[in-house]
Amino acid sequence: ARAQDTIKVGILHSLSGTMAISETTLKDVMLMLIEEQNKKGGVLGKKLEPVVVDPASNWPLFAEKARELLSKDKVAAVFGCWTSVSRKSVLPVFEELNGILFYPVQYEGEESSRNVFYTGAAPNQQAIPAVDYLLANEKVERWVLAGTDYVYPRTTNKILEAYLKGKGVKAEDIMVNYTPFGHSDWQSIVSDIKKFGSAGKKTAVVSTINGDANVPFYKELGNQGVKAQDIPVVAFSVGEEELAGVDTKPLLGHLAAWNYFQSVDTPENADFIKKWQAFTKNPKRVTNDPMEAHVIGFNMWVKAVEKAGTVASDAVIDSLIGVTVPNLSGGYSAMMPNHHISKPVLIGEVQENGQFEIVSQTPGLVVGDEWSDFLPDSKSLISDWRAPMSCGNFNTATGKCGGKGS
Amino acid sequence: MPRALRLWAAMLLVVAATAATLSGALAADLKPLVRNLGAGGFADTEAAIAALAQTGDPAVVPVLQALEAGDLYVRKEDREVVRGSASNGGYTLTDPLGGAALGEAGRGAVDKIRINNSLRRAISAALGSLTLMSPDAGARRAAADSVFKTRNPDGLAALETALGRENDPAVRSIMEQARAAILLTAAGTPDADRLGAIETIRARGDQESLALLNAVRSAEGASAAVRAAADKAFEAVEMRLSLWGMAQNLWYGLSLGSVLLLAAIGLAVTFGVMGVINMAHGEMVMIGAYATFLVQDAIRTYAPGLFDASILIAIPVAFLVSGAVGVLIERTVIRWLYGRPLETLLATWGLSLVLQQAVRSIFGPTNREVGAPSWMSGSFELGGLVITHGRLWIVIFAFLVFGLLLVALKRTWFGLAIRAVTQNRNMASAMGIRTARMDALTFGLGSGIAGLAGVALSQIDNVSPNLGQSYIIDSFMVVVFGGVGNLWGTLVGALALGTVNKFLEPYAGAVLGKILVLIFIILFIQRRPRGLFALKGRAVEA
Amino acid sequence: MSAENTLLYVDGVSVSFDGFRALNSLSLIIGPGEMRAIIGPNGAGKTTMMDVITGKTRPNTGTILFEGGTDLTRMDEAAIANLGIGRKFQRPTVFENHTVWDNLELALKNPRKTWSALAYGMNPKDRARIEEILDITRLSPRRERLAGSLSHGEKQWLEIGMLLAQDPKLLLVDEPVAGMTDAETEQTAHLLKTIAGTRSVIVVEHDMVFVRELGVKVTVLHEGSVLAEGSLDSVSANRQVIDVYLGR
Amino acid sequence: MLTRFLLLGLDKRAGVLLTVLAVLAVAVPVMALAVPPDSPFHLPMHSVSLLGKYLSFALLALALDLVWGYCGILSLGHAAFFTLGGYAMGMYLMRQIGPRGVYGHPELPDFMVFLNWKELPWYWQGFDQFWFAALMVLAVPGLLAFAFGWFAFRSRVTGVYLSIITQAMTFALLLAFFRNDMGFGGNNGLTDFKEILGYDIQAPATRVGLFVATVAALAAGYMVASSLVASKLGKVLVAVRDAESRVRFLGYSVERYKLFVWTLSACMAGVAGALYVPQVGIINPSEFAPAASIEAVIWVAVGGRGTLAGAVLGAVLVNYGKTYFTAALPELWLFALGGLFVLVTLFLPKGILGLAADRFRKREPAAAVPAAASKGA
Amino acid sequence: MLDVQSVNLHYGAAQALRGVSLKAEVGKVTCLLGRNGVGKSSLLRAIVGLKPVSGGTIRWDGGDITKLAPYERARRGIAYVAQGREIFPLLTVRENLLTGYAPLPRAQRSIPEEVFELFPVLKSMLDRRGGDLSGGQQQQLAIGRALVTRPRLLVLDEPTEGIQPSIIKDIGRAISYLRDRGGMAILLVEQYYEFARDLADDWAVMERGEVMLAGSRHGLDESEVRKYLTV
Ligand SMILES: Nc1ncnc2c1ncn2[C@@H]1O[C@H](COP(=O)(O)OP(=O)(O)OP(=O)(O)O)[C@@H](O)[C@H]1O
Ligand SMILES: Nc1ncnc2c1ncn2[C@@H]1O[C@H](COP(=O)(O)OP(=O)(O)OP(=O)(O)O)[C@@H](O)[C@H]1O
Ligand SMILES: [Mg+2]
Ligand SMILES: [Mg+2]
């Protein structure tokens, strides 16, 4: 009976292990959002109650914890996961138990589940605009695609390769390089990049290097004197949090593509930063893109619940589509039928103070494209979770749901 | 008057005259050009920079430098471009052209002129041609470098003038190379000049030269002679580069090896000498790194002037902090476990979890910034080798630590006593050795050395609670590969693994390279089941 | 010399450790059923010789043949032991976490294959044999004790017991009576004498009373090679032996 | 002979453990399926899978204890065998998905489609058959262990040297399986399984079935292991652990004995992995991580090295602790778990069961031998 | 003087010493005899502090040392030659000897000449690892190492074990020399009866953890002693 008094919200982010470095912040954001919402009176007249668990950067544990949240704690929605593999691990659980997951991190796409709402960027909301920027503004002709060897970089690079070749870039002008997780000795690779970049053509690095490996990478870039003016590096996984661990002076001008930067100059963002720094009692605490994604996701969920008048999964899932909430960069993001959201794409240059100077912004919002148009097998797939289609992988060529077969 | 003298005089006159006209007559004309810098978007700014450069007036140099440094602002009230330096709460404004004071302005009263990479490039190109005759040799050198990179044929005249006056041989040779580069890229250069330029570029012999020569080689309409010369030069440079590439790899191997050495050497004490399977070794490294962070943080807030010495100060601090934690651990946990080496694995694993989480709770889960002092940043070239200062110091530091430890263990009473204790604790005690104190000191020493590794690693890796985890396995590999209990083994093992890794990486890629190294270790241990520097004889078999 | 009709044939064996010659073209022949006492100064190479015969140390040069034909220098320790060569170590080494009984059970002459060990069940014959050995070594009251808790001398006895249990054709016994009382020494001599005849025995010992008791041919080793050979009386009269070994 | 062999292992402790397992095998299905959900005796489905997971870890711990506790081979790479077994099962489960993947490819798993693979690589052939996969669950870890052990034991690699190369082995496998080019799904591994042997993998009955299968495998593994250690072979192993070279001089070929248990243990670990995968729903390379193997060692040490029941108990307890603490103390659980490990070492030097064993041991106390104590690592 | 008073000692539940009392006087050699496993070594371990006693007191030089750690006893001049040699296998012979410096003040840190006079082989093997030595050489090293500490109580556990006859004689001479030089008490456990008899000033015989007979050399009844040594 007591359980009826509150609505439970699950927070499924690693607080220990390798991913804690990124995910802990997201847990804190969620706690802050929930606290705020409760100050406003909660949802449907009930207080929200956060349920925090630690999946410890251990992928099977993610599934176990998800199951625990859904079937033991009976949470109304879960905000969580960072890596693709953690999402892949919990996906069957959410589908089986019909839960709701908000996933806040940019990812490789190629997925659409009825029970997952993707508030981070799909490749077309991050990678492609970044490359476009480099093509147009930096006149880049040679490309180094450097990434950690896992699915997100692999897919992104595949998409980019296809895209670049479509733009007339020759195969020999693309260098692809994969490194293991946590790679820390970048001497040879940075020197290879320098070599590749001194062939007389303008060269840029597109980095999908993940997590911990970035700090040593950037330190090595700085030390070997790879300047942004000569060989700019554009990263998709490096945000303000990551930069907090490096001396950014030598990195001036290197780029990142996101849908949000702390330096976004809007009243909403200023307000958010103020609240965040007050909540964490740290006036220097930075914000970043996945945090914004959670803000958007959470607000969407609240709105959808109020619209549906219940927290029951099916009703909320249905009412989520079409919900529009303000994002922090001054516009409105909407939940699309493919469970991805519309976002602006921003390109920023690293500044000495560890922030990004926004050098380019898409004029309008870009809608997340779950099935990439640049991969042969997903070209003809679309996702639409509205009735009557209600399908995550509808094949427009065959007119059937369920990939290309059946 | 001899001819040469006359020529000199004439030239001086011309130069003087130009300078006079430029500074006098055009000073007023610069103002609107500078104003244009703040006109609008990046493209407008770029045009304004080009226009400023076009004037050739040295007076624009400080303006452009200010722009590059991000010190130029647009005063909102009159759209005037001013130079601002932050003063409490606002800015102190000066005129970018003359330096005249323009008063104060609040934060909201000015807009910063933003620059991006292409602007930065434009600025350095402009500065390049403008500073070729700067009195500062360094600036001239940088200018020549930038001309070499841009290869803008319009700059040829200025370059040649500068060349005529250059006395510094090093700068001179770069200027000549820049000239050669322009000659080679420009259309319509006579073949004789081209051939000379090819020679100059060949002598430069770096990657850029290679690209340049390649372009010449494949350029359409080049004469056969030029093409042949370019071909030959190309091959020569390529050869030279591949030799230097080997040397570079060796250096990378050495530097990776010394990182491994640093990480492993503390373990060579706690594990190699004492026999404690010390899974918390990585955390000692991490604590050292955090100690470095704290030292630097304190220096940043209390004595910013000491920043360059921060790493030096951190060395003893990290040693003591990690060492103290080590002694504490030894006294409370490890000392109950002697003679049960396998149990130390369980306990130290537990400790490593606790320490990680403790650091996470205190410092937060995110990376902490440890900056590089100026003498550790950047790089220098040695022939065709690029050596970064940071790595060089780490190599030196690693060898230093190794040497000191070697002396401590092999040449001092302490070293003898501790080896006696670990080989036969009871008998050592019966001989009168204070075993408990020795154990604590040794574990402290090993932990302290791990802390030193933390200082070095803070320069190249994340300072995060996970720092230690990423080195623990490598450390064990190194110690075991070299032969447990043999310090020289640890040294050679670390360097060997580092080098092998770096030689495999270019061919196999980082991932496969690492796998191959692991397989190499497995196979190697088959050949030498007690490591590289195995102790032999009855003494060990008994 | 020929290898025929010998049980152990050692010829020209040299071993050096980092330049130090522990054995210097040593030659030695043991016939079937023979017992031989080996004496010599500390460091003469007696233990090393046993190491070489049992495969623990590989000789640098030389041949070692067993039963006329089997070349021991190419075999590993287990294979040599399976040929029927058993050894008691100078410093007693027993399985400290096994009981005295289990130590003997493991030593007992039975097939050594993995599968046989898996399928092995204690039979009355084996049980009787172990009891017998326990009696001989006077360890009966200690049978259930872990070997690690035995005193030094008791471990010596246990090792002798294990050697007996192995029932080898050639016994190499390194200092069997060290740490035993005079009475036990006498007993041990008696025990070894009963074994010899059907088995060959090589005994290394510094206890001259014991060696005299054995009453067999004595070989004196010095600096890795044979210094003298003959009856105890004759070698004890040898000036060199007195100088380097017996003392005055 | 086989029965006699198996009877060897039946002592009191085995009796207790087997009884507990038998009770679990009956009670859990009843409580999960037959008892109505609102009854206090109802066992929620996720607890069934959790229990199943613990028990498959227990089987891994058992396998590890066999080589470590009884033969002195401290393997820091046992999770490799576990994971390989898991992958073999995972590949079967992937093939069972058939055309139900997101791209709807009739044969290729999704990750292959999306990396543009055109056909199934040869090493994926046959895994659509359960019997083949089951064979591979044993064969792959077994063969790897055999090859590895054959070289290592023959070269007389022992002690920490062996431990570290086992770690190198699992680390190399980790890196290799991370590579997307390997064709095992890279970092994401294998997931989103649908069916096993034609049964819906998410159906309660299937889950319970998997649980019962795990209990049965654990019981069988325990019987085999305890008979083994009670046999003479077990005594030889302990002797090898304590004085390897002395065993050689008794004529035992130490290499063969080691190789035998090592391979057997790897096969057991493989089975454990195969049972683990369908119950947690994912297998990916991070299971190869050296830390995973070390954790398994920790379970054994906590429970009591050299006592088979201890290994089982340790695995279950530590993993239950992990489940409990990560939910109850999400930010402090490492303190709790780490502290637990330290305390166990200090106060229960022989693990939880070691304590019990000391209490009830009839024999004279074991030797705290000064000479042995000085030997060090 | 060493004065052991009714000492008890246990290994786990098993009692190895029962109310053992023993005296060893300075300037005399005290021999302890007894069959295998009667507790001789256990008593010595109790005296040097390697095994805590469960009852009784041990006094040396007038002070109670029952509770002192071994290294503190070493500092009071007690040196121990263990049964089974217990040398440091990976230290060189020289380093093994140097460990004897531990209880010495700096000024006295040198290796006494008598060590090499007694055991010349050690001098030629200074750089060899202790563990590589032959059994007898190790035994010599163990005795030499004990002498480096300039002991005032020398505790020897079967020092002749594994040593060649000529050196046994030397050791015997050395022991009497040390005794005669004065200022040193020597406690000797020995199985080699004649050796012991020739050296002993006082003696004691143990049986099953108890001292059965004790007395001075003059009161020694050989047949009575032998009774305890035979089986
Ligand atoms: N691994 C080794 N390295 C160096 N020297 C060694 C090694 N093994 C043995 N020696 C030396 O070889 C010689 C022979 O040793 P061995 O043990 O065979 O002598 P022994 O005749 O058995 O002596 P003891 O009677 O004292 O037991 C000794 O001088 C010893 O120091
Ligand atoms: N570490 C130990 N643990 C348990 N029991 C022990 C231990 N050491 C010795 N004992 C037992 O204590 C008793 C006395 O042993 P001790 O070593 O003192 O005998 P000893 O008189 O020195 O015999 P020896 O002449 O064989 O050296 C013996 O019964 C022995 O089994
Ligand atoms: Mg010998
Ligand atoms: Mg004794």
Side-chain angles (χ1 to χ4, degrees), chain B residues 538, chain C residues 17 42-48 90 206, chain E residues 128 132 134 136-137:
Chain B
R538 282 181 181 169
Chain C
F17 303 103
N42 294 133
K46 304 179 294 295
T47 304
T48 309
Q90 181 167 4
H206 291 296
Chain E
R128 196 173 297 187
D132 286 345
S134 80
Q137 291 164 344

